[in-house]
Amino acid sequence: MRVDLRPRAPILTFLAVLALVAACAAPAGAGTIGGTEAPQNKPADPAASGGSLPSSPAQSAPLFTSSPYPMGAKGWVFPLYPLSRVAPRAWWSLDQGVDLGGNANQCGSRLVELAVASGTIVHEGLDGFGHSAPVLLIDSGPDQGRYVYYGHAAPALVPVGTHVSAGQPIADVGCGIVGISSAPHLEIGILPRGAAGPEYMPDFGQTSHEALSNLVWAYRAAIAAETARKAAAKKASKRA
């Protein structure tokens, strides 16, 4: 049996009177419940001109003077930091892009997403991937002019329009269910060459093997650098 939950007319009238009384009693400049002050220097809304909505950084991103990883042979920096919290290669899987994530469902500020190459964040929010999913337009290297998307991210750490360098933090791996997912992870993929815009996602298998190859080479470079760093630290501690 269907239950009609719509309020009847007398109830609507009563609620409207209550709302009017509350509005008159509220102090000037009051915001939402709790009196939250409106943010100052709010940027112009790009949605008015058909652009993408920027996001405000919800958490502090790690500060790097340069990329924490070297670039791989295919021109990408590995997109998850730190390596100690990344799930092993055997756990990765192919989708429209490549699914990879943290060991023990690491997420949030414990597992940060990095720009795979230099470029500009041109869009945020993708159908099925969550409202914070950023899209990077690469401006250098072998994939110059192509879009890379970061699915299931939350929150985004830089607003739309920001130019980022390779290895710069741009988002966190979203905790819980972000978009269509069953656990925290990153689906990263690259759009086909000549894609009409950042929202035109690749078909299943269309570019996922290309993205996987780039990620494998980037992962190898990151692992090699981390191994060398640990060896140098161990050698230095013995000397001390």
Side-chain angles (χ1 to χ4, degrees):
M1 179 180 69
R2 181 179 178 183
V3 179
D4 189 352
L5 300 179
R6 291 174 296 176
R8 299 299 186 229
I11 299 177
L12 286 174
T13 303
F14 177 68
L15 291 176
V17 172
L18 284 181
L20 180 60
V21 172
C24 293
T32 57
I33 294 174
T36 304
E37 183 180 0
Q40 302 299 312
N41 300 322
K42 183 176 179 181
D45 183 0
S49 59
S52 304
L53 289 173
S55 66
S56 299
Q59 302 182 37
S60 296
L63 298 177
F64 305 132
T65 55
S66 60
S67 173
Y69 308 135
M71 188 167 286
K74 294 292 186 72
W76 278 19
V77 165
F78 191 68
L80 290 178
Y81 177 88
L83 277 180
S84 60
R85 295 176 183 158
V86 176
R89 166 72 184 85
W91 292 14
W92 303 2
S93 61
L94 296 181
D95 207 316
Q96 287 173 272
V98 180
D99 290 325
L100 63 160
N103 50 40
N105 288 335
Q106 301 280 3
C107 64
S109 59
R110 292 178 58 81
L111 194 58
V112 180
E113 300 177 3
L114 310 178
V116 294
S118 66
T120 301
I121 304 300
V122 295
H123 187 78
E124 182 181 306
L126 295 167
D127 187 27
F129 293 111
H131 67 272
S132 296
V135 180
L136 172 69
L137 177 59
I138 296 177
D139 65 8
S140 63
D143 291 315
Q144 182 176 358
R146 300 183 70 180
Y147 299 101
V148 173
Y149 69 91
Y150 292 72
H152 314 297
L157 299 176
V158 295
V160 171
T162 302
H163 184 271
V164 296
S165 57
Q168 180 176 335
I170 59 174
D172 288 347
V173 171
C175 293
I177 305 302
V178 180
I180 302 174
S181 65
S182 57
H185 72 287
L186 163 66
E187 180 182 324
I188 185 168
I190 187 167
L191 275 62
R193 294 188 184 277
E199 296 179 86
Y200 291 83
M201 294 294 97
D203 295 329
F204 286 90
Q206 185 177 10
T207 59
S208 55
H209 285 88
E210 183 180 359
L212 177 62
S213 178
N214 290 356
L215 288 169
V216 168
W217 283 101
Y219 187 60
R220 289 174 180 171
I223 290 290
E226 182 67 7
T227 300
R229 184 193 66 78
K230 289 181 179 179
K234 183 176 181 180
K235 188 175 181 179
S237 64
K238 286 183 177 180
R239 288 178 179 175

